[in-house]
Amino acid sequence: MVQLYNLHPFGSQQVVPCKLEPEQFCGGGRDALFVAAGCKVEAFAVAGQELCQPRCAFSTLGRVLRMAYSEAGDYLVAIEEKNKATFLRAYVNWRSKRTENSRVCIRMVGHNVEAPFRESFKDQMSIVEMPLSEAPLCISCCPVKGDLLVGCTNKLVLFSLTYQVINEEFSILDFERSLIIHLDNITPVEISFCVGYVAVMSDLEVLILKLESDSKNEEKVHHHPCKTNNPVKQINTDFSNETSQIESDDFVICQKPMELLGEKSEQCGISVTLELTGLADEKIKYFHIQHLLYRRFTPDISFYVLSDDIRLHSLQLLPIYHTGKCPLTSDGKNSFHGKELLSLFCFFSLPHVGYLYMVVKSVELMSVYQYPEKSQQAVLTPQFLHVITRYGHSVTCWSFTCLSVLEPPFLLLRNNLQCFTVRCSAAAAREEDPYMDTTLKACPPVSMDICALRIQLFIGLKAICHFKSHVVLLTKADPEAIPERRVSPRRFLSRKDTSVKMKPPVAEAGWSLYIVNTTSPVQLYKEMVDYSNTYKTVKTQSCIHLLSEAHLLVRAALMDTSQLEPGEKAELLEAFKESCGHLGDCYSRLDTQNSHLALPYYKMSGLSLAEVLTRVDWAAEDESQKYERGLIFYINHSLHENLDEELSEELAAKVVQMFHAAEPKQLPHVLCSPSMKSVSPLTALSYLRKLDTYGFSSVLVTLIKAALALKMGDLDMHRSEMKSHPEMKLVCGFILEPRLLIQQRKGQIVPTELAVHLKETQPRLLVAAVLGLQKNNKIGIEKADSFFKVLCGKDEDMIPQLLVDFWEAQLVACLPDVVLQELCRKLISQYIWRLSKRQLPDTIPLRTSEDLINACSHYGLIYPWVHVLISSDSLADKNYKEDLSKLQSLICGPSFDIASIIPFLELLSEDTIAGLSVHVLCRTRLKEYEQCIDTLLERCPEAVIPYANHELKEENRTLWWKKLLPELCQRIKCGGEKYQLYLSSLKETLSTVAVDLELRDFLNVLPEDGTAAFFLPYLLYCSRKKSLA
């Protein structure tokens, strides 16, 4: 369906002061217009709203049949006819042509300029002759690189744009014939070329190819023709021969319509052969062909008398580039080689239907344009599709705009000027931005119905072209300049004899060439918004459709910043945000299936939540007002985000009222949002109590009531609510809504008032709640640590006891997502730091070491010899016993990697028994038993035997007699105050060794200088143990 509106996209118009009736005309970049008539080309200066003035003129070899301009390279190329022969010539450095009689240099393509003449080229125009073996039929210039593609009867010839460097400041533009594309079974009528993409059109066929560089196989590519695979070539050849035979018997053969996309298009029956013709050096590009699209149409036999009715026309490739990828040169002009292709679109048209395809990443039919009248020519731009149509001898123009009625001297033809909208910017936006069509960003769909913004009566419209912000129109009221064509009823079905015989041009009255300045995108956007206001009172899709068109208009202008005037970009950005706000209003107020789009459009608009709420029509004060899904979805989603915005008490009350009426189940979550901090507690409680009357009761509602009571200072109500559910159920409530405890503002973690209160009154519940959040992936490890530090008022270097309690709870809970070694490392480092600094916990620990040993497998039973070692110090400070016991238990546990604790041991001195116990424990876990025995013998001999009994087992059993026994004997010899301790330890050691060794081995380990009477009892026991056994 085509929507029709009545807008005014054309602002002003002016007449081009050309002397003869134009035969060809085209835009010349940003500031020029070329008009060809007879054997002459005139260039006119076009600058904004100023009058069009003649700039220069130059003669051609003959009558101009086709003409094209390339902004990359700033050259004009033309197909000229003289004496029934055609020539291809490029006009370079044309801006240096001051007068019609100025000197002109003519040179052959690819020839080096001789040194004496090089400097003169800087100040004069050059004509580059490009000879071809076949007559050129059509031409196209690449808008990015400036390469030239020429269409001949059975081939396409590619001329690459090159430069001959004269000096640092000047270079001469030249061409190199680098590639020939041989085509069988298709004769080009029109071609289009853009960055390696080639579109070829015949009367009823369109073929799109892509030339790709084959960097992997460069060594294998040779300079000779290379054919593409074509499995159906022979079939089509046979069919063509059969067709010719039948046609000779006055039969007409119509092939069936066909559309082949991607690799399937290789089966179209058109043979494509590549021939590399460039010089064999490092600059040569090696190509292979990728088929993208083949489309064949069948003529409507009911209109076969008029051949124009069955011919395709207006082939065009339209590129759209990455935003901001067009760097400027020093003179302020765009560097075309810096452009990066984003999307490419291909348009072609039948008399009654136009087709717009998206190319590049995928080939897809985007839009089909149904014309009410027969079309003659079309021009595609990023915003609009301008189409000339006709009815009988009349002409119509499809355009996105309104144009004032022009009044030439002869009113012989009735014409219209119309304009279709296009979806190029919508498709390109999705290619460029991966966040499109998410909750962050949105864009009107490519599939949205197209529309014509106005149908305007026009007189004698013949041709149209577009450049920059101008539309150039050729009008002629003289009905005699109509092509004479052969009237064979079957000529139009063949590719043969497609020439058109035109009467020679005659300078006469009745024609005009106009430059129409289009309305600026911002001005047209404002008119479209004003027009959309007529639909606001009626909740229909028309308002969304027109605002979507306005949005796409602004988006398309922003995607081509090279066409913007200074200061216009800022206006467009403001208009873009405003259009997003309007679309957000529509989707939030209208009951549509796409109501969720209110969220991304409001986000792109830059409007705050409060600003959006002020745009809502709060018509009814009671709860009878209906709120649409889009508005509810936007507000609910916004309140769930960490917005650094606080609503006023009045707006917060309206939000509570809205959700109670529309989404009562979401009301508890809404009240937990930081943006709702200013809501009146009494108002919130009144709506929460209504939820209870509706049978909606949960632990979450209870927690919110408790938080509101705390906010009001009603501690009795707070305690009553908190006691109404057991602790584990309250933890489940916190898991449902973490913002009851933790909120975030400006990127910083902020504990709630309820969390602060629980820290003082119910710290165990608080730790359990945060643990539940972490277990359910509602909070990360680092965020949880930061929460407790902020809650306890500690900086990053200080660790509060509540955080240590949380770490211990994590170990007890055995969370799978927690990195066990990292958690153990944090706990041990904190225990060691407190012991070394003799720092007491800032609060009473929630768990004792005994609790942890009983509840958690990671905390092991403390070794018996450790108790003996600790009990030997009667002066030990009991205040640090818990930290020491937890540290010892964790080292005795099975989970911790002892090697990671060594760097922290430097803080803990061995001078104290506490420090000694930790050092000996770690060395023991590292199996440094001999060093531990030496240390205990020196510092605490009474702990040596318990240590040996616990540690020296199995493969370490030999240390009893190899290490412990000799050490004790040696120390007894030395005497001293610890003589009796050493002596008792030696007796225990001899008893153990006598049991483990045979008599001969036992004798060998005894000291040679020992007293026999002392060792005799142990020798007798060792000798009699077998008999006793």
Side-chain angles (χ1 to χ4, degrees), residues 18-23 37-38 42 410 476 478 480-481 503-512:
C18 44
K19 299 176 181 178
L20 297 176
E21 178 182 346
E23 297 176 16
E42 294 181 274
F410 305 97
K476 181 177 172 67
D478 187 356
E480 295 182 0
K503 290 186 177 182
V506 179
E508 55 184 285
W511 60 267
S512 295

Side-chain angles (χ1 to χ4, degrees), residues 896-917:
F896 188 59
D897 180 14
I898 298 299
S900 63
I901 197 179
I902 300 302
F904 300 102
L905 290 179
E906 297 178 0
L907 297 175
L908 198 59
S909 173
E910 293 187 47
D911 296 340
T912 63
I913 292 297
L916 178 65
S917 67

Side-chain angles (χ1 to χ4, degrees), residues 50-64:
E50 298 179 7
L51 294 178
C52 177
Q53 299 293 336
R55 182 166 191 164
C56 66
F58 47 87
S59 300
T60 60
L61 186 62
R63 177 167 156 261
V64 178

Side-chain angles (χ1 to χ4, degrees), residues 16 18 20-27 33-44 60 62-69 76-81 137-139 190 377 462-465 472-474 502 505 511 513:
V16 180
C18 44
L20 297 176
E21 178 182 346
E23 297 176 16
Q24 298 287 336
F25 58 93
C26 67
L33 172 67
F34 294 102
V35 179
C39 296
K40 186 177 181 181
V41 173
E42 294 181 274
F44 297 91
T60 60
R63 177 167 156 261
V64 178
L65 302 180
R66 297 285 182 100
M67 186 167 61
Y69 170 80
L76 180 72
V77 63
I79 298 177
E80 303 169 13
E81 181 186 43
L137 302 177
C138 44
I139 50 178
E190 292 184 27
Q377 185 185 0
K462 288 292 184 181
I464 184 174
C465 82
V472 185
L473 303 174
L474 174 62
M502 297 290 295
W511 60 267
L513 187 64

Side-chain angles (χ1 to χ4, degrees), residues 249-288:
D249 298 330
D250 292 334
F251 283 92
V252 174
I253 299 299
C254 298
Q255 297 186 26
K256 64 179 181 180
M258 180 184 297
E259 182 185 42
L260 300 175
L261 303 177
E263 295 180 356
K264 293 182 179 180
S265 60
E266 295 183 16
Q267 304 174 7
C268 62
I270 298 176
S271 175
V272 182
T273 305
L274 298 185
E275 179 182 355
L276 300 176
T277 59
L279 297 177
D281 59 19
E282 69 278 2
K283 296 181 180 179
I284 291 298
K285 298 177 181 178
Y286 300 89
F287 291 103
H288 66 272

